[in-house]
């Protein structure tokens, strides 16, 4: 494509359309064109080689999965509209596999009966379907996509830990071979379940994930998961509580302006739905709620949802902007940083009034409530392990490894016999990597104003061979055909541009497609038995002897 | 598996389960286990190499397809329950692609504008889903399966013919490389549409297709498609028509017994639904209706369906067993062989009566009706080109190439500009090959009583290396480990059986899995620095020097 496509928001999506890597069939559904498929296959090959090297075994499970297995695991009802469901001609329920824990656990329970056969690690590279609410960024958040997913089963924690570490290392090797700048961080395990997990993020400004890392220490986590460090000790109370009228002040910013204070001396009160009615979560005024962490707090209804204005009014008698911990009508949870304030400002639980100089024990009976970690960390926070300050980066999640424990093996009765003949519920891990998404991530990190700059291991071809005036010049045709044949003989993957197009068009297309090496054969150079050679990243081409130019590639 | 699985009807299905090639997830849905996946990949590689050699370009289209494209082509309503449909979260209609004509034609119309870019041939190896009414024979008739499908576009018939022939040759090369005994035959094109097509059948007694071929000539067709030769000239009438009472004679056999005649001197009359009411099809008594050919006859309702007893009674006043061409109440079509009879027997259109000595022009006003080819050919028939006699074989359809004409390109407005700037509707072909089904077909042709006998190009591994007493004998362990390492160094694909199992179990498993070469390392042989070697087809093993045994494989 000559023009930037109108409907592409991120650079990788634009370049994938323009360079003929993909075409959209429907929202979130993409056809991989010949050039793109070659990249996809190279990524798959690297993944396969590294997975095989760990002793994992490749298999292939169906895309369409029967509902019964998901009922067994308890996820048939739990999975939302993201899971696409269908009925067969006999009205039996099926889904398009968004993931394969159920299928592999079913296979395991039918095939593996003894601890002696453990550990095992099975993987596949297969199509997945997730009916995203808002597919976007091309293959970065598509509905149908290719994923490498692996599942391991273990007789004990030690065996699991070793494989989890091995997968962590394997993922690092895979992404290193792809020449990607990435970070492995602690992450939330979402609806896959289990306890700990690590995400592998490729760094990119367009990334949807915020990665938190310590400036001077080992801590790294997705912001969804990142713990806040314990706050400094609370100062002593120094003010008396007083009431101020705050008519029409609906926001923290408005209150701060009226009182000439900063938000970090205020608290805000959010009402969410709890199992036994509304629960308030109280944060320092300058902090944001972390919905993932908050969703796991005691008493909160799953999934986390906010009370409507009507529900707030009914539960408290006032509207959202006037809520606060003094004389609270509902139970509340206090974020640690909010709990570390003294002499703070908060809503008065009276319409259009706030309190100043509030102190927890004195004014709010804090001891009856829980202090929790419910906020998003912010840049500059101390790392939770105390080593360094937190910094943020944007990343694209390309891999995620999960510690599943016995969530699936227990729910699905996938037990084996241990050495004493007793039943043993295996510990499981699962290890996902987004194959199609990786192509976009690679481009996000490897492009310039003119197009893609493929890393050598992933380039669809190694060499762009451009013949100028090929249709009319016998000399060009002879030299270019000869180079092409030599490339074939040497096993150099070559894309041969012998189109009847202007040189400018050909050069622009070569930059757009972004193969690592470019050779241009033209009449002018051939007079001296020369061609032009450059790498994709070189500014200028150099004259090379026709006889030795391929040495640049074979070396 | 030690035992034959109860639910497998054909040998390939049994062996695929027993040898650990596949496992069933649900009816018609299979997981490919590690051993099976290796075979699948080898088949894919051969297909890919041969397709690439023809200049076809590989791409990858989505499994999930939007309804709009199928509405464009007119097939959304036409496809029956075999096409699995689903709605996304926004209640938009999609299907699981049973085939990809619509998607590729849509891609073509958006990307290719000029005759200069033709011909093109795109292929993919992708998952398909067809919700078979009765999935059976394992992966031979599964619901989810892998297919190679190619689609070509041409500016003129000559270009199409060349590619069609090239694909025909390519398919022959692919199946030859797989060492399969196969036949390419003319076939019906079913709901893919278009005019001519050829099927590639792997010969096997368990095959669902009947292949018709000439004993001494080039003719070969699927029985669904096979034309009957023109019959011999009709003899002159020699009998007068007479009526006989045939109480309780409901079948041709009963009539023949009563009258002491053979079925080939009778006709039978079948009533099918026509566009303007019932139509009779009249066949010689010993012939069967060919429903595919009959479904294409003029005036027949689509798809072909038979009148019920009530419909027959209403249209003719008599029941099915008494129908005939004399004084017929409905229009009829006469098969050519039936039309070539003189002095024949038929139902009298009077309950429990038949006529003998019937002659067409004299008694039935044949000139008002059409003579057609509506029967299945039978063994011994003359070939339609007059060269040789027809014989039958059973086959498994593994490939099918179609001449689509402009069915899809016209319906979907996939036009290009010709050299004069006028609109040109490209001629299309499509070329399918059943990748997963091929694995079953290969096994149907390559097994013995003990298990699979893989052809070398498709074997999951080349060598089965069996170490006896590996756990206890240092000598066996050292020699076997050394052989294994040498295989790895030499690039010999080796399956190493170092399990703590009895020799009999190991030998039986080796035969079942069926790798081409087997080496057994045991203490007894090692005393003479020897191991046992045999191929899968050898009855007995021979002693070989440990130092030279791998030469059998590298040669």
């Amino acid at each position: 494509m000559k023009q930037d496509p109108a409907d592409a928001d991120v650079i990788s999506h634009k370049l994938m359309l323009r360079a003929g890597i993909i075409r959209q069939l429907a929202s979130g559904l993409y056809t991989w064109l010949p050039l793109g498929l070659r990249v996809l296959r190279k990524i798959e090959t690297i993944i396969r080689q590294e997975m095989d090297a760990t002793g994992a075994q490749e298999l292939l499970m169906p895309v369409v999965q029967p509902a019964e297995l998901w009922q067994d695991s308890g996820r048939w009802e739990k999975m939302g509209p993201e899971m696409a469901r269908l009925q067969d001609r006999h009205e039996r329920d099926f889904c398009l596999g968004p993931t394969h824990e159920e299928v592999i656990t079913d296979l395991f329970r039918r095939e593996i009966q003894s601890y002696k056969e453990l550990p095992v690690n099975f993987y596949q590279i297969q199509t997945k379907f997730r009916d995203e609410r808002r597919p976007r960024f091309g293959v970065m958040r598509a509905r149908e996509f290719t994923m490498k997913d692996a599942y391991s089963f273990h007789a004990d924690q030690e065996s699991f830990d070793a494989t989890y570490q091995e997968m962590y290392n394997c993922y690092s090797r895979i992404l290193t071979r792809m020449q990607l700048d990435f970070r492995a961080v602690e992450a939330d395990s979402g609806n896959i379940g289990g306890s700990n997990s690590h995400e592998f993020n490729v760094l990119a400004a367009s990334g949807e994930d915020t990665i938190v890392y310590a400036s001077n220490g080992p801590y790294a986590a997705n912001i969804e998961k990142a713990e806040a460090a314990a706050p400094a000790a609370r100062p002593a109370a120094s003010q008396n509580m007083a009431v101020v009228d705050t008519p029409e002040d609906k926001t923290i910013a408005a209150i701060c302006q009226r009182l000439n204070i900063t938000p970090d001396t205020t608290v805000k009160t959010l009402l969410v739905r709890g199992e036994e009615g509304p629960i308030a979560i109280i944060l320092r005024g300058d902090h944001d709620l972390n919905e993932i962490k908050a969703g796991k707090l005691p008493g909160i209804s799953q999934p986390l949802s906010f009370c409507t204005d009507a529900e707030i009014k009914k539960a408290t008698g006032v509207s959202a902007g006037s809520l606060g911990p003094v004389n609270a009508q509902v139970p509340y949870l206090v974020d640690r940083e909010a709990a570390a304030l003294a002499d703070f400002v908060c809503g008065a639980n009276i319409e259009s009034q706030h309190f100043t100089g509030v102190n927890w024990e004195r004014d709010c009976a804090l001891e009856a409530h829980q202090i929790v970690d419910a906020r998003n960390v912010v840049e500059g926070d101390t790392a939770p392990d105390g080593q360094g300050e937190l910094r943020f980066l944007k990343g694209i999640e390309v891999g995620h490894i999960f510690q599943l424990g016995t969530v699936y093996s227990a729910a699905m009765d996938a037990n084996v016999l241990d050495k004493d003949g007793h039943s043993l519920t295996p510990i499981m891990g699962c290890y996902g990597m987004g194959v199609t998404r990786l192509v976009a991530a690679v481009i996000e990190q490897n492009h310039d104003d003119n197009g893609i700059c493929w890393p050598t291991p992933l380039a669809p071809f190694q060499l762009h061979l451009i013949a100028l005036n090929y249709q009319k010049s016998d000399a060009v045709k002879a030299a270019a055909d000869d180079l092409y044949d030599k490339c074939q003989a040497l096993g150099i993957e070559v894309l041969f541009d012998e189109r009847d197009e202007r040189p400018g068009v050909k050069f622009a297309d070569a930059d757009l497609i972004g193969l690592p090496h470019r050779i241009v054969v033209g009449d002018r150079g051939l007079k001296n038995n020369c061609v032009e050679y450059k790498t994709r990243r070189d500014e200028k081409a150099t004259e090379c002897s026709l006889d030795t130019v391929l040495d640049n590639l074979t070396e």
Side-chain angles (χ1 to χ4, degrees), chain A:
Chain A
M1 290 183 184
K2 302 257 180 296
Q3 303 300 324
D4 256 4
D7 52 347
D9 293 328
V10 293
I11 187 72
S12 59
H13 189 194
K14 282 181 195 169
L15 288 174
M16 289 177 81
L17 290 168
R18 286 193 56 208
I21 305 292
I22 54 169
R23 284 296 178 266
Q24 182 176 295
L25 173 62
S27 173
L29 304 179
Y30 291 89
T31 293
W32 287 82
L33 299 182
L35 203 65
L37 187 60
R38 293 180 70 98
V39 179
L40 207 55
R41 296 285 184 242
K42 296 208 172 185
I43 290 177
E44 288 178 6
T45 299
I46 290 173
I47 292 174
R48 205 166 261 137
Q49 288 171 347
E50 294 297 338
M51 288 299 295
D52 288 346
T54 69
Q57 294 191 70
E58 187 177 3
L59 43 63
L60 190 65
M61 294 176 273
V63 173
V64 175
Q65 306 181 2
E68 288 77 9
L69 293 184
W70 290 77
Q71 285 153 356
D72 263 18
S73 75
R75 286 206 292 182
W76 183 255
E77 299 303 332
K78 208 166 147 190
M79 297 296 282
E82 194 179 283
M83 186 158 87
R85 295 152 208 252
L86 71 160
Q87 290 195 319
D88 73 1
R89 63 196 299 156
H90 305 296
E91 296 183 1
R92 284 180 299 231
D93 287 316
F94 290 84
C95 68
L96 298 187
T99 178
H100 280 72
E101 282 81 10
E102 280 77 1
V103 176
I104 196 75
T105 306
D106 177 60
L107 183 72
F108 179 90
R109 70 181 168 184
R110 290 190 287 149
E111 299 296 324
I112 295 187
Q113 316 300 340
S114 163
Y115 78 99
K116 283 186 201 168
E117 297 176 68
L118 303 186
V120 288
N121 191 5
F122 297 112
Y123 79 98
Q124 66 175 351
I125 296 177
Q126 177 60 303
T127 302
K128 300 271 190 279
F129 194 90
R130 293 181 190 169
D131 196 359
E132 295 281 349
R133 191 165 53 83
R134 202 160 71 85
R136 59 193 181 279
F137 307 152
V139 298
M140 206 114 82
R141 191 164 291 278
R143 298 201 287 179
E144 183 174 326
F145 57 97
T146 306
M147 193 169 153
K148 188 284 299 175
D149 45 329
Y151 306 88
S152 70
F153 296 82
H154 307 268
D156 55 43
Q157 188 64 35
E158 189 183 350
S159 163
F160 170 77
D161 289 343
T163 294
Y164 189 81
Q165 186 61 45
E166 192 163 32
M167 284 298 104
Y168 185 102
N169 298 344
C170 176
Y171 274 40
S172 300
R173 283 195 301 272
I174 288 168
L175 299 176
T176 301
R177 281 184 62 182
M178 294 180 190
Q179 304 182 2
L180 287 164
D181 187 10
F182 68 95
R183 294 284 187 284
V185 303
E186 291 178 22
D188 179 66
S189 50
N191 63 15
I192 297 290
S195 48
N196 292 316
S197 77
H198 285 87
E199 253 176 34
F200 288 77
N201 281 276
V202 168
L203 302 183
S206 66
E208 294 188 274
D209 282 271
T210 299
I211 299 167
V212 175
Y213 70 102
S215 59
N216 192 20
Y219 189 77
N222 189 302
I223 195 166
E224 293 180 347
K225 171 81 175 181
E227 290 169 56
R234 188 197 303 152
S238 67
Q239 299 178 7
N240 291 325
M241 195 168 92
V243 65
V244 289
D245 285 331
T246 50
E248 290 168 36
D249 290 352
K250 303 287 184 202
T251 63
I252 296 281
I255 301 290
C256 288
Q257 194 170 9
R258 176 185 296 272
L259 303 177
N260 195 25
I261 55 173
T262 54
D264 59 356
T265 62
T266 71
V267 303
K268 61 184 169 192
T269 302
L270 306 169
L271 236 57
V272 301
R273 296 185 181 129
E275 287 157 4
E276 296 168 4
I279 295 177
I281 302 177
I282 297 177
L283 299 167
R284 205 171 76 185
D286 58 330
H287 285 153
D288 288 328
L289 184 69
N290 181 311
E291 297 189 21
I292 300 292
K293 291 195 289 188
K296 295 176 180 170
L297 295 175
I300 305 281
S301 293
Q302 297 300 323
L304 182 80
S305 59
F306 293 93
C307 292
T308 61
D309 287 345
E311 288 168 350
I312 294 170
K313 196 88 184 203
K314 187 175 168 211
T316 66
V318 294
S319 52
S322 300
L323 294 174
V326 182
N327 306 320
Q329 305 295 307
V330 297
Y332 59 80
L333 304 165
V334 186
D335 181 72
R336 295 190 290 188
E337 287 287 351
L341 291 177
D343 302 328
F344 58 86
V345 172
C346 62
N349 289 322
I350 300 164
E351 207 65 55
S352 299
Q353 292 200 338
H354 278 69
F355 289 126
T356 62
V358 182
N359 282 278
W360 285 108
E361 270 83 2
R362 188 188 71 190
D363 306 321
C364 312
L366 179 67
E367 62 284 3
H369 303 281
Q370 267 190 284
I371 297 175
V372 298
D373 176 12
R375 71 174 175 99
N376 278 334
V377 297
V378 294
E379 286 193 283
D381 277 353
T382 303
D385 60 3
Q387 298 182 59
E389 249 184 27
L390 296 185
R391 303 272 164 80
F392 287 6
L393 284 170
K394 285 289 178 184
I396 301 164
E397 180 193 346
V398 296
H400 204 150
I401 61 178
F402 297 89
Q403 305 187 2
L404 298 179
T406 57
V407 173
Y408 294 93
S409 46
M412 296 180 69
D413 280 330
N415 301 315
V416 297
L417 294 180
D418 72 9
K419 65 184 195 308
D420 303 317
H422 299 135
S423 179
L424 181 158
T425 305
I427 298 169
M428 287 176 62
C430 87
Y431 317 97
M433 185 166 263
V435 179
T436 39
R437 181 183 285 184
L438 266 165
V439 181
V442 167
I443 294 173
E444 288 290 332
Q445 278 194 358
N446 294 277
H447 66 270
D448 62 18
D449 291 345
N450 299 321
I452 305 169
C453 308
W454 290 111
T456 300
L458 304 180
F461 299 89
Q462 295 306 312
L463 171 61
H464 207 122
L465 175 60
I466 297 178
L468 303 178
N469 203 27
Y470 179 88
Q471 273 69 24
K472 290 178 195 148
S473 163
D474 291 342
V476 167
K477 182 173 190 313
D481 286 350
D482 184 55
L483 277 177
Y484 182 76
D485 292 343
K486 278 187 182 145
C487 285
Q488 302 287 48
L490 290 166
I492 297 169
E493 297 168 306
V494 55
L495 182 65
F496 189 9
D497 182 358
E498 24 69 298
R499 295 175 299 166
D500 188 12
E501 292 280 3
R502 286 181 298 110
V505 170
K506 296 190 167 204
F507 297 155
D509 285 350
D511 279 349
L512 178 61
I513 289 173
L515 305 183
H517 304 272
R518 192 188 86 180
I519 292 175
V520 180
V521 183
D523 284 309
R524 197 169 47 192
L526 286 178
K527 281 175 194 153
N528 305 317
N529 198 40
C530 279
V531 294
E532 281 190 353
Y533 169 80
K534 81 184 237 351
T535 71
R536 175 62 181 81
R537 304 265 189 189
D538 289 338
E539 285 278 321
K540 294 207 163 170
T542 54
E543 292 266 302
C544 281
S545 158
L546 183 58
D547 305 323
T548 59
V549 66
L550 291 181
D551 299 347
N552 286 303
L553 283 91
T554 51
E555 261 162 23

